[in-house]
Amino acid sequence: MRALTTQLAGRIGALVVLSAVIAGCAEGQTAEPQPKASGPPPVAGVPTRLDIRSLVLPIEPYLFTDRQVARLFRARAVLTASCMERFDHRWPVPTEAAPDTGTLNPANTAHRYGITDARLAARHGYHPAPGTMPSRTKQKSPGPTPGPEEMLVLTGLHEDGARAAKDERGRPVPAGGCQGEATTALSGDPEKIGNRELVGTINIGSYHDSQKDPRVVRVFRAWSRCMRQYGYAYADPTRAPGKGAEFTGPTATRAEIAVAGKDVECKRRTNVIGVWSSVDAAYQRRAMNEKTRELAAIKRDIRTQVTNADGVLGKQHTTGPRAAVQPAPRPHQTSDR
């Protein structure tokens, strides 16, 4: 069997980042590095695992699911359109459904550790199964092209970036414009919507930290030795193919399906998923233990945002696109804000 020696940055990391965009790091937030505790965290026991469908990571109760985020941003669009209408500007609410990544949980374990399903690997290789990733070819409908007056009301800013207290007709503009008003109505903060940066830092940080952990490094080496037995040269599962020209066609090739099948087989033989997910979770628990008060406030914030979004969309369903903006209570301040 022809050895594949090209070391490619696999699709795994990109998928984790995608999950973070959709359900991890929301608008207006930048994850800041957290202080690192010394030494690898303890792991009580390592299960034998390949199937990730029942896997739940510790940070997940503090993350929005992708479906919740889709509803949150649709609710903001509805509120923004209602506000713009008050200023005599038409602002469309998107009619197409939000992209569905197929994420079964907010930490994106469906894609976090690469391919793990032998049946899907035999059919699709490294290509995503239909319906589990946004289409590469589907074109979004063009968005609105606002003029200067609309932009002022939408953002609450003049063209030079200065705060706009009033519109062109002298009417008071809300802080942050209509987008800021809509965001405040959902989260209580005109600049924050969706997940807080602390949970994104923990979620993405544990993923990267776990790959440098000695226990994971050892199991990656075992996986690499297993792959070499089949004629494939990859240092670890994150470097398995996925972006090479031979694997980006409309359907999986025989060569892609062959290496994908051996990838899954070697993960099963070496228990990559059992070790990696256990260590990943251990890093999350350690980081979370240092932020219990902040995480409790974040969980309350999630409930507030979801409840407010459901209220807006429920009202839209019964009364049409116009929805009154009722500001949400400002969430408790947390140290990651």
Side-chain angles (χ1 to χ4, degrees):
M1 184 176 294
R2 181 176 63 90
L4 299 176
T5 57
T6 304
Q7 302 300 307
L8 300 169
R11 187 176 283 134
I12 304 168
L15 287 167
V16 172
V17 172
L18 174 63
S19 176
V21 171
I22 295 178
C25 297
E27 183 174 320
Q29 299 163 24
T30 303
E32 296 293 337
Q34 299 294 311
K36 300 290 185 182
S38 59
V43 174
V46 175
T48 299
R49 180 191 294 276
L50 181 63
D51 187 351
I52 47 75
R53 286 176 293 182
S54 62
L55 176 61
V56 178
L57 292 173
I59 196 62
E60 294 189 42
Y62 306 92
L63 286 163
F64 289 86
T65 66
D66 59 350
R67 291 162 181 82
Q68 287 173 331
V69 170
R71 287 183 63 79
L72 192 63
F73 278 82
R74 180 166 182 81
R76 188 174 74 160
V78 169
L79 294 176
T80 299
S82 177
C83 173
M84 294 289 284
E85 189 174 346
R86 295 202 320 266
F87 288 86
D88 304 315
H89 297 299
R90 293 185 59 82
W91 192 256
V93 176
T95 56
E96 66 267 17
D100 185 349
T101 66
T103 298
L104 303 179
N105 52 51
N108 198 21
T109 52
H111 306 294
R112 191 176 183 97
Y113 307 112
I115 57 173
T116 59
D117 189 313
R119 180 181 59 85
L120 293 178
R123 177 175 294 183
H124 303 290
Y126 290 94
H127 282 61
T132 64
M133 288 289 289
S135 171
R136 298 177 182 177
T137 58
K138 183 179 179 180
Q139 298 294 320
K140 287 186 176 181
S141 58
T145 54
E149 290 186 22
E150 289 176 306
M151 281 298 296
L152 184 149
V153 174
L154 180 69
T155 65
L157 299 174
H158 292 291
E159 291 186 71
D160 61 0
R163 162 83 168 90
K166 298 181 179 180
D167 72 352
E168 299 295 331
R169 293 167 57 181
R171 295 172 294 186
V173 174
C178 283
Q179 281 190 339
E181 179 182 273
T183 301
T184 301
L186 295 168
S187 71
D189 187 323
E191 297 181 354
K192 302 281 188 176
I193 189 170
N195 290 311
R196 301 311 187 201
E197 57 266 36
L198 174 61
V199 291
T201 297
I202 293 173
N203 186 34
I204 301 300
S206 71
Y207 176 77
H208 291 301
D209 289 343
S210 65
Q211 294 177 53
K212 297 177 285 187
D213 185 278
R215 294 158 292 191
V216 175
V217 170
R218 283 195 296 270
V219 79
F220 279 3
R221 287 173 180 166
W223 175 91
S224 182
R225 289 193 297 270
C226 177
M227 292 294 283
R228 282 200 297 271
Q229 293 176 6
Y230 296 111
Y232 300 108
Y234 297 106
D236 63 64
T238 69
R239 298 174 185 270
K243 291 187 176 180
E246 66 271 38
F247 298 132
T248 56
T251 59
T253 63
R254 288 186 178 181
E256 177 182 346
I257 288 172
V259 67
K262 298 308 180 186
D263 182 351
V264 175
E265 172 63 16
C266 286
K267 282 174 179 165
R268 184 191 65 78
R269 288 174 55 184
T270 59
N271 197 28
V272 163
I273 306 305
V275 174
W276 191 1
S277 64
S278 297
V279 172
D280 193 2
Y283 278 98
Q284 287 191 3
R285 280 191 292 270
R286 183 166 72 181
M288 292 168 66
N289 286 339
E290 299 171 355
K291 297 290 183 179
T292 54
R293 186 166 60 89
E294 293 90 337
L295 289 171
I298 286 170
K299 186 175 284 189
R300 292 192 296 270
D301 180 43
I302 289 175
R303 288 196 298 267
T304 295
Q305 293 192 53
V306 169
T307 298
N308 289 335
D310 288 345
V312 169
L313 297 180
K315 182 176 294 187
Q316 181 200 23
H317 178 73
T318 57
T319 65
R322 297 188 61 152
V325 176
Q326 298 295 331
R330 183 177 291 272
H332 292 280
Q333 197 76 4
T334 62
S335 63
D336 66 304
R337 297 277 296 277

